[in-house]
Amino acid sequence: MLPLRAPRLRSALLGLAAAAFSLPALAQDANPIPPAELTDAAILPVMERAVDEVIRPGYRDLSTSATRLSQAVAAYCAAPSPDTRAAAHAAFDDTVAKWSFIEIVRDGPVLQQNRFERILFYPDRKSTGLKQVQSLLAKADEKDTDAAALPGKSVAVQGLGALEYVLYGTGSDALDTGKDSFRCRFGAAVAENIAATANALSAEWEKPDGVQKDWKHPGPDNPVFRDGKEAITALLGVLVHGAETIRDQRIESFYKGEDTPPRPKSAVYWRSGNTWKSIEGNLDGLNTLFRRSGMEELLDPGEASIAGSVEFVMKSLERTAPKIDSDIEKAVTEPTERKKIDFLIINARDLVLRLSNDFGGAIGLGAGFSFSDGD
């Protein structure tokens, strides 16, 4: 486990992990089993299940949810009321959840045409998005209510962060006072743009001869993966980088322990209370991808406990995230809530090591192997 920043935090976290969430230690063998030999015959079924049972359904769910979000925001603009507002908020929450599940797959079409940032521009360390959205709302230029024009603008005003500010940020109460306000119509354009991006992503993954073929059939003529080892390296990289992102970008962007001042308004989705729901979605995506792809089948039978320990840590994290107060300011100031966040940090670090070092090493990918470029 990586060292923590302060002795006091280290002792507190280790005590918490030992007392309440003790994790099974991996068996130590004086004669360790050599890494399993990876073969394309073993890898291809894993890649097929990852694509067909997790990634494609994930993007389909996002596309469906984003389309409903676009419709709900448009309905709210046309007829503002407590009911249409609640429906728009519920649709926003659902799209955040669906995106959080699949956003762990930071590979493939989502990295083209700035699609990832067009759905979620985060982290935004200089509040670029907030400033640009506030400026746009102040100018009230009718051209900014045209969804077709949004892709040509800054990614900071195109995605879920911008829409969250419209629906929940300062001045959002005015949305209820009159139909088709500029602010609401801009929000509707953003929602429509999110839906268009989500639809495009799903369509890319559904093409039989497109990215799904590249992921499921590595080979010398494949423009993405020359062999099965490169493919499984990328899949494991999705898990490793996903766990790192939860720790580094989703939590430590606003909370780094009791000895560092918290920055609750730097948390993703803090206005809508979706911070922990988003992290819960990320964890669900990681756990589902690991389980449904059947990655444990790549392990030698004698190393099966590695997969069990990975799943145990994931489930422990999934159980903890929903229990943290959705009010981020309370979560980072109340001792009981901070302990839960500390638990997430320490065990997200542990998860990275179990995936990268333990699992990666057991299937023949050394601890120093680069999961990002296949080298």
Side-chain angles (χ1 to χ4, degrees), residues 96-286:
V96 166
K98 297 300 192 296
W99 165 247
S100 298
F101 176 90
I102 199 61
E103 82 169 309
I104 63 164
V105 184
R106 298 196 180 199
D107 205 335
V110 77
L111 298 185
Q112 299 166 6
Q113 302 174 28
N114 295 319
R115 287 183 175 122
F116 190 99
E117 291 77 14
R118 283 165 56 190
I119 293 180
L120 179 64
F121 179 69
Y122 185 86
D124 184 5
R125 296 181 178 87
K126 297 182 179 180
S127 298
T128 301
L130 174 62
K131 294 172 184 175
Q132 290 185 3
V133 171
Q134 288 175 328
S135 174
L136 185 148
L137 292 176
K139 292 178 181 177
D141 187 333
E142 283 298 319
K143 290 184 293 186
D144 293 329
T145 64
D146 181 4
L150 279 181
K153 297 183 180 297
S154 165
V155 294
V157 301
Q158 293 187 40
L160 290 168
L163 183 56
E164 183 189 39
Y165 184 80
V166 168
L167 294 176
Y168 299 89
T170 302
S172 59
D173 290 346
L175 295 175
D176 292 341
T177 61
K179 69 176 185 177
D180 291 329
S181 66
F182 173 84
R183 179 177 183 134
C184 199
R185 286 184 293 117
F186 167 68
V190 172
E192 185 178 339
N193 182 66
I194 293 170
T197 304
N199 294 341
L201 285 168
S202 182
E204 289 281 352
W205 278 97
E206 292 300 319
K207 293 177 182 177
D209 294 328
V211 62
Q212 65 164 283
K213 180 181 178 181
D214 294 336
W215 276 54
K216 293 191 290 185
H217 302 288
D221 297 326
N222 187 314
V224 179
F225 302 126
R226 292 166 294 184
D227 54 36
K229 186 174 182 180
E230 286 190 359
I232 201 63
T233 296
L235 189 62
L236 182 55
V238 167
L239 297 171
V240 172
H241 295 317
E244 288 176 334
T245 296
I246 291 171
R247 180 195 69 200
D248 298 341
Q249 291 186 9
R250 292 298 183 266
I251 301 176
E252 293 194 334
S253 64
F254 68 93
Y255 176 84
K256 295 184 178 181
E258 61 185 12
D259 295 322
T260 302
R263 301 169 62 238
K265 292 185 179 180
S266 293
V268 69
Y269 307 123
W270 68 270
R271 291 181 177 86
S272 60
N274 277 306
T275 301
W276 303 116
K277 291 179 183 177
S278 170
I279 291 173
E280 185 181 358
N282 294 157
L283 291 166
D284 184 28
L286 292 176

